[in-house]
Amino acid sequence: MSDRSQPIIIEQSFNKSKEVVWSTITDPNKMREWFFENIPDFIPEVGFKTRFNVDAGERQFMHIWKITEVIPFEKIVYNWRYENMYGNAFVSFELFDRDIETLLRITNLGLETFPQDIPEFSRESCTDGWEYFINQRLKEYLNQ
């Protein structure tokens, strides 16, 4: 289980400008299209908080996000927790210029602080989730 303490890092390049990718990861109307459809609001400002439920079938996960760092068009960091559950994660979205592309790097820290007996908090499940959102959903959204 020691690998749960290592950060999960997912990278994906997009043939879009940093401004377009930034807008897609910070505009709630766009985020609802590729991330979580029931995000009530999102403002890329330090201190902004939002909460929304995700129904995972056997379990409900009330997501609680608080923005802890923002460098426009470069980096945004969320404190990511769940109501009535211990655990405290930080997820950063970083943008890098790569020639004509923009590289998005997701870094998820703190997985080891969540309950180990909940399958959704396994390293594999978390990695699969980010790969689905970034390498599949976000990529499809930006390529349409």
Side-chain angles (χ1 to χ4, degrees), residues 69-81:
E69 183 181 353
V70 178
I71 304 170
F73 309 107
E74 290 187 22
K75 184 177 186 179
I76 187 164
V77 181
Y78 307 5
N79 175 226
W80 189 313
R81 299 182 306 108

Side-chain angles (χ1 to χ4, degrees), residues 71-103:
I71 304 170
F73 309 107
E74 290 187 22
K75 184 177 186 179
I76 187 164
V77 181
Y78 307 5
N79 175 226
W80 189 313
R81 299 182 306 108
Y82 301 94
E83 188 172 82
N84 300 322
M85 217 175 273
Y86 65 84
N88 194 33
F90 288 89
V91 176
S92 67
F93 293 70
E94 296 176 276
L95 301 178
F96 302 92
D97 284 319
R98 293 286 187 266
D99 298 321
I100 60 167
E101 295 185 325
T102 299
L103 176 72

Side-chain angles (χ1 to χ4, degrees), residues 6-127:
Q6 297 300 310
I8 292 171
I9 299 172
I10 303 294
E11 294 185 340
Q12 180 65 54
S13 291
F14 302 99
N15 193 15
K16 302 287 182 185
S17 69
K18 280 172 89 171
E19 291 76 14
V20 168
V21 178
W22 178 261
S23 172
T24 306
I25 65 171
T26 60
D27 177 323
N29 293 314
K30 294 176 183 175
M31 292 169 74
R32 288 181 200 114
E33 294 290 320
W34 67 269
F35 205 11
F36 292 103
E37 63 186 22
N38 59 337
I39 294 172
D41 199 6
F42 191 86
I43 301 170
E45 293 176 358
V46 171
F48 174 79
K49 296 178 186 176
T50 192
R51 54 192 291 135
F52 58 94
N53 190 56
V54 173
D55 184 345
E58 293 180 27
R59 278 176 283 282
Q60 303 291 313
F61 291 96
M62 179 60 77
H63 289 57
I64 302 169
W65 290 352
K66 180 179 179 183
I67 305 303
T68 61
E69 183 181 353
V70 178
I71 304 170
F73 309 107
E74 290 187 22
K75 184 177 186 179
I76 187 164
V77 181
Y78 307 5
N79 175 226
W80 189 313
R81 299 182 306 108
Y82 301 94
E83 188 172 82
N84 300 322
M85 217 175 273
Y86 65 84
N88 194 33
F90 288 89
V91 176
S92 67
F93 293 70
E94 296 176 276
L95 301 178
F96 302 92
D97 284 319
R98 293 286 187 266
D99 298 321
I100 60 167
E101 295 185 325
T102 299
L103 176 72
L104 172 63
R105 176 183 298 143
I106 307 293
T107 305
N108 186 338
L109 298 165
L111 181 62
E112 74 279 5
T113 67
F114 290 92
Q116 293 188 29
D117 59 343
I118 296 179
E120 288 86 351
F121 295 136
S122 72
R123 183 175 181 85
E124 294 72 25
S125 178
C126 194
T127 301

